[in-house]
Amino acid sequence: MNLENANQAELQVWEEKLAAKYAEYKEAGLKLDLTRGKPGTAQLDLADAMEDLPKSKMILENGTDLRNYGGLDGIPAARKLGAEMLGLPESEVISGDHSSLTLMYLYLLHAFYHGSQGPETAWAKESEVKFLAIVPGYDRHFSICEELGIRMINVDMLADGPDMDAVEDLLRNDAEIKGMWCVPKYSNPTGCVYAEEVVERIAALGKIAGPNFRVMWDDAYCVHDLLENPRQLANVMDYCRKYGTEDNLILTASTSKITVAGGGISFLGASLKNLENFRKRLSVMSIGPNKLNQQRHVLFLKNIEGVRSHMRKHAEILRPKFEMVQKHLENGLAGKGMGNWGKPEGGYFVSFDSIPGLAKEIIRLAGEAGVKLTPAGATFPYGKDPKDSNIRLAPTFPSVEDLDQAMQIFVTCVQLASVRQRM
Ligand SMILES: Cc1ncc(COP(=O)(O)O)c(C=O)c1O
């Protein structure tokens, strides 16, 4: 039955049935967690073979002893791997320690306080600094801005990427907007892959934005395909070269969800001019990254083909989990007018939009029945979802069996909250 067509008597019966089912779930005292997008243990196990690094591989042919200090940019082979992942020449990529988020944070600190092209370009010199936040989006991007006092302006994510008419309009009229967060492939949380036209328009933004504008191109899911023959993301730096906006782009990626989330390697890609300036910060904070770990990664993954073949093993583990989520959403909610959801072809999340005003209530109901969900509002700046509607489901960590149970409960909570709102 569609919620829209149900009369009050039907809603009453429906609510009683759902409330009884919900009470049973509550009684069962389950403890299930669909909050953070962590790799599952079986995915981490896939990289176990990487851990042993023979002593013979710790000294490179050119004599570099990886055990010692130095090599601020990371080892050449790791930079090459990152360059293949990001679609850049090796000279435009540096490889760091385990977290790309750390590099993003550091880049923003650098641009804010020190200036991406020297002290005169520091954002801190502006009366106010603003960023475009594509929503729903990644909470940790928003936390970085919040911490720096950068005011975020929401722009909607559409089916093929950010609402570019809105983005261009805002930038044309406000030179205080200094940047924009993008997760261009399998966006967190909607799973969107930016269309080529959107990529080109983003690459051209440097021409209409105020000075020192940076697109933060977080390609965290660049190789995280669930399907064979995945959609290809257009090369944003190639388009930037076409428009002469290479300095407006900062790209990042990591192996966190390729090898091991707590011990991978990260990459930052940028124009030579941007890298030259950013190195000044790196050289103050470190004498160099963990080169042994970079070598381990390179020996294990080898090149982009090696990465893709490894990611096919991840996809085999993850596909049944994503299918389980879709099965419950379709069986329990399709055609009922109780919300919409995405069907991502990769990445780590499924984004669900409830009827406006219900996300908090659904999350509360699910929590009390033992299913922990990401807090309502987490996918929006300042934790405020203006429609109180978006819920991020993270199916990678739980087992398929746990997901089966968790999704039954989730669907019941969506139904219950939706029916009650209508009564
Ligand atoms: C969009 C996005 N960027 C970055 C990260 C974290 O990356 P890293 O582990 O390299 O710091 C995540 C993790 O969930 C993510 O979803």
Side-chain angles (χ1 to χ4, degrees):
M1 195 188 316
N2 187 309
L3 200 57
E4 300 280 318
N5 308 328
N7 62 32
Q8 283 302 315
E10 286 167 334
L11 287 172
Q12 191 87 36
V13 175
W14 205 355
E15 196 274 343
E16 277 164 22
K17 274 195 196 153
L18 286 167
K21 199 165 159 192
Y22 177 71
E24 274 174 34
Y25 288 137
K26 229 171 147 176
E27 192 77 351
L30 296 167
K31 271 201 168 28
L32 302 163
D33 192 333
L34 289 191
T35 55
R36 290 236 74 101
K38 298 199 295 190
T41 312
Q43 289 174 270
L44 300 173
D45 289 346
L46 292 173
D48 279 355
M50 183 180 74
E51 290 309 324
D52 300 324
L53 181 63
K55 186 144 192 235
S56 62
K57 302 285 185 189
M58 292 179 188
I59 299 173
L60 299 184
E61 273 172 19
N62 67 7
T64 307
D65 189 335
L66 302 179
R67 298 167 302 180
N68 219 328
Y69 273 140
L72 195 63
D73 284 350
I75 65 172
R79 295 176 71 189
K80 184 161 180 289
L81 183 67
E84 288 175 355
M85 284 167 59
L86 291 171
L88 296 173
E90 196 183 312
S91 58
E92 291 181 346
V93 176
I94 56 176
S95 180
D97 286 327
H98 76 285
S99 165
S100 62
L101 190 68
T102 305
L103 290 176
M104 294 176 229
Y105 181 57
L106 189 62
Y107 192 84
L108 256 66
L109 283 176
H110 159 68
F112 196 94
Y113 290 112
H114 299 275
S116 55
Q117 309 285 356
E120 284 315 304
T121 66
W123 294 339
K125 288 189 180 299
E126 307 272 339
S127 52
E128 186 168 25
V129 183
K130 301 171 194 164
F131 244 66
L132 300 183
I134 311 305
V135 293
Y138 179 40
D139 52 351
R140 292 179 191 265
H141 288 163
F142 304 152
S143 306
I144 295 177
C145 282
E146 214 174 324
E147 195 190 72
L148 288 170
I150 297 176
R151 183 146 80 83
M152 286 169 278
I153 303 170
N154 293 0
V155 173
D156 286 335
M157 176 69 102
L158 306 180
D160 57 3
D163 178 346
M164 289 308 296
D165 290 343
V167 167
E168 289 165 355
D169 213 40
L170 284 158
L171 284 179
R172 259 192 216 103
N173 293 301
D174 191 347
E176 289 178 342
I177 301 173
K178 292 296 167 204
M180 167 177 174
W181 289 109
C182 294
V183 183
K185 195 166 171 199
Y186 308 132
S187 193
N188 175 353
T190 71
C192 168
V193 180
Y194 291 11
E196 175 141 15
E197 186 215 329
V198 171
V199 173
E200 178 165 8
R201 286 173 78 177
I202 291 175
L205 291 177
K207 295 189 87 68
I208 56 172
N212 311 310
F213 174 78
R214 290 291 177 277
V215 172
M216 298 299 291
W217 195 255
D218 177 0
D219 214 353
Y221 300 105
C222 55
V223 290
H224 301 63
D225 313 301
L226 284 172
L227 307 180
E228 290 291 328
N229 306 315
R231 262 190 283 172
Q232 300 297 316
L233 178 70
N235 188 312
V236 64
M237 187 56 110
D238 285 352
Y239 276 118
C240 284
R241 291 189 220 286
K242 174 174 162 186
Y243 291 104
T245 54
E246 299 94 312
D247 292 341
N248 297 111
L249 180 72
I250 302 297
L251 306 96
T252 50
S254 78
T255 66
S256 290
K257 296 184 197 76
I258 298 173
T259 53
V260 284
I265 62 176
S266 59
F267 309 105
L268 183 135
S271 69
L272 295 182
K273 200 165 146 200
N274 276 334
L275 282 187
E276 194 184 309
N277 280 288
F278 187 51
R279 277 191 192 98
K280 292 178 190 155
R281 304 288 89 67
L282 288 178
S283 65
V284 173
M285 64 166 262
S286 164
I287 307 170
N290 180 344
K291 298 184 293 300
L292 289 173
N293 195 35
Q294 295 187 346
Q295 174 76 324
R296 256 183 225 116
H297 274 75
V298 169
L299 292 173
F300 179 64
L301 295 168
K302 297 188 175 64
N303 51 32
I304 188 70
E305 274 323 308
V307 171
R308 291 197 196 290
S309 120
H310 188 71
M311 292 312 285
R312 281 194 278 276
K313 296 181 197 156
H314 278 258
E316 275 170 35
I317 295 169
L318 292 180
R319 231 180 283 120
K321 298 188 180 189
F322 279 80
E323 282 166 3
M324 181 59 77
V325 171
Q326 291 297 327
K327 184 184 99 175
H328 283 288
L329 293 173
E330 276 160 30
N331 292 350
L333 299 173
K336 289 198 166 64
M338 295 180 177
N340 303 300
W341 57 93
K343 195 173 179 187
E345 295 174 359
Y348 262 52
F349 303 101
V350 177
S351 180
F352 180 85
D353 286 314
S354 71
I355 295 172
L358 287 187
K360 274 201 197 89
E361 175 60 5
I362 292 167
I363 290 166
R364 184 191 68 79
L365 285 169
E368 287 179 11
V371 177
K372 206 168 153 206
L373 297 169
T374 309
T379 51
F380 283 75
Y382 314 108
K384 284 192 195 130
D385 174 355
K387 291 195 198 134
D388 184 26
S389 151
N390 188 251
I391 298 175
R392 187 184 79 170
L393 303 171
T396 57
F397 190 71
S399 66
V400 178
E401 296 71 31
D402 281 357
L403 270 175
D404 193 3
Q405 284 197 313
M407 286 307 296
Q408 287 178 43
I409 297 172
F410 176 72
V411 163
T412 304
C413 295
V414 173
Q415 293 175 342
L416 190 56
S418 307
V419 169
R420 281 181 177 164
Q421 193 201 45
R422 190 105 191 137
M423 284 173 72

